[in-house]
Amino acid sequence: MVNAKLLKLPMAAHQHWHEHHQIVIGVRGEAELSVDGAGAYLDTWRAYLVPTEARHDYRGNDQNHVLVINLDPLMPAVNSPAHADYERMMRVFEKPRTLQMDSRLHGLVQFAAGEFDRAPNHTTLQQHLASSILYCMADRISDGQSFTSNRNAISPDAVRRYILKNLHKKITVEDMAGEVCLSVSRFHEVFREVAGITPHQFLLQTRLDQAANLLATTTLTVSEISYRTGFSSQSALTNALRKYKGTTPSRLQVGESVA
């Protein structure tokens, strides 16, 4: 049986173990886990796989939310070699490890978390969504492409934090690559593989998202917001919003939803 819940980890470390397999997935904020003495960091692009009886402790920052999926170790898919999914599922929990999510899996997790928020008592829906996430992870593990043990693994959240910290400045792909200690060409290759878009597209998207948020929630002028979010002028911000978001600053200031 699979069950899942959306919860907030405590800020103080808490240690325990359990007799079921568990997947802990970052949804919002940041969290830290230590499983059998090995540390792991969670943001919204990472999940951690905890096999049954692995002793672990965890804590999160004040904004963290995680999606926790629990699996009964006696369910046929992980316990019966005769089951069609046994080989695939056993690989998921053969050892504790971090899974780096790609853009499609990240989107599925964020969608599922939204549905958990919308329908907190809809157990059947939650089980189906959790099972979908589990099988998508199993496929990626079988393909051998999603482990953060790869020294060149990149967290888009870490890149986003760098962008937001320097949002009013000119930021180049070289700057972002330097932040994660990769060459520009390698950074571009790995980032696109992980996030599904280029670093430049990600930078523009982050700038636009922040600008749209400021336009909708503050009384700052369009000129001031364009400066704060790194656009060269008010017209540059207006043109980018119209082209990529299908809206304008004035529409956002009166409460229109952004695309």
Side-chain angles (χ1 to χ4, degrees), residues 202-223:
F202 186 81
L203 171 62
L204 177 59
Q205 179 179 295
T206 303
R207 291 194 190 280
L208 285 173
D209 288 346
Q210 187 68 5
N213 179 61
L214 290 173
L215 286 164
T217 61
T218 73
T219 57
L220 294 171
T221 65
V222 178
S223 178

Side-chain angles (χ1 to χ4, degrees), residues 15 17 57 75 81 103 125:
Q15 186 176 84
W17 67 276
D57 59 63
M75 62 185 290
S103 58
L125 172 65

